[in-house]
Amino acid sequence: MGLTSYIAIGIAFVVLTMVLLMFKADKKDIKRKPHLLSWLALCLIILNWVLYLFGFYAMLPQKIGNQIFIPIWFLVCIISFIAAVKEFRNNRIFAIVSGGLSVLSSIFGVLILIIGSM
């Protein structure tokens, strides 16, 4: 197995652990369960990372992959950031996780865009 496979397994483990901890968390610390939009945004970011790490975008023809990859990446980041802002009043822990992944993915997407244009 390559490095990306280990990274993908690590991401899956962290996500499963995070989901289990959110449902098992003390009810005093968390006001309410996260909204559906927040779950959807987090799942989209994780799916995008998994597709990238397993080389899904590389399997597509280069012209199509370049036209699809960057817009989808930034669209997912924007959706996740909006969900994090809306979730902040309801569940701050989930909002910080979702917003942090959104910011990190945005930085990574900008780096890929800059490196790809060289």
Side-chain angles (χ1 to χ4, degrees):
M1 278 195 325
L3 179 61
T4 56
S5 298
Y6 289 120
I7 292 171
I9 291 169
I11 289 172
F13 179 73
V14 167
V15 168
L16 287 174
T17 304
M18 184 181 68
V19 169
L20 289 174
L21 289 175
M22 284 186 170
F23 284 117
K24 295 284 184 177
D26 189 19
K27 298 303 177 191
K28 294 179 224 172
D29 296 335
I30 297 175
K31 294 178 186 174
R32 293 179 227 147
K33 291 183 180 178
H35 296 297
L36 182 61
L37 176 65
S38 301
W39 281 110
L40 179 68
L42 184 64
C43 290
L44 284 174
I45 279 187
I46 293 168
L47 177 67
N48 203 21
W49 271 100
V50 168
L51 289 176
Y52 176 74
L53 290 175
F54 281 117
F56 173 76
Y57 295 110
M59 289 188 289
L60 297 172
Q62 186 175 6
K63 187 176 181 179
I64 295 172
N66 289 339
Q67 291 177 350
I68 292 175
F69 176 69
I70 296 295
I72 288 176
W73 193 279
F74 287 120
L75 182 67
V76 167
C77 291
I78 291 168
I79 290 171
S80 180
F81 187 72
I82 290 170
V85 169
K86 288 186 177 269
E87 186 67 35
F88 192 73
R89 283 187 227 128
N90 184 35
N91 189 342
R92 288 191 176 153
I93 296 171
F94 197 85
I96 290 170
V97 169
S98 181
L101 283 174
S102 174
V103 169
L104 289 174
S105 292
S106 299
I107 292 169
F108 190 74
V110 168
L111 289 174
I112 290 174
L113 184 63
I114 291 170
I115 291 172
S117 65
M118 290 182 167

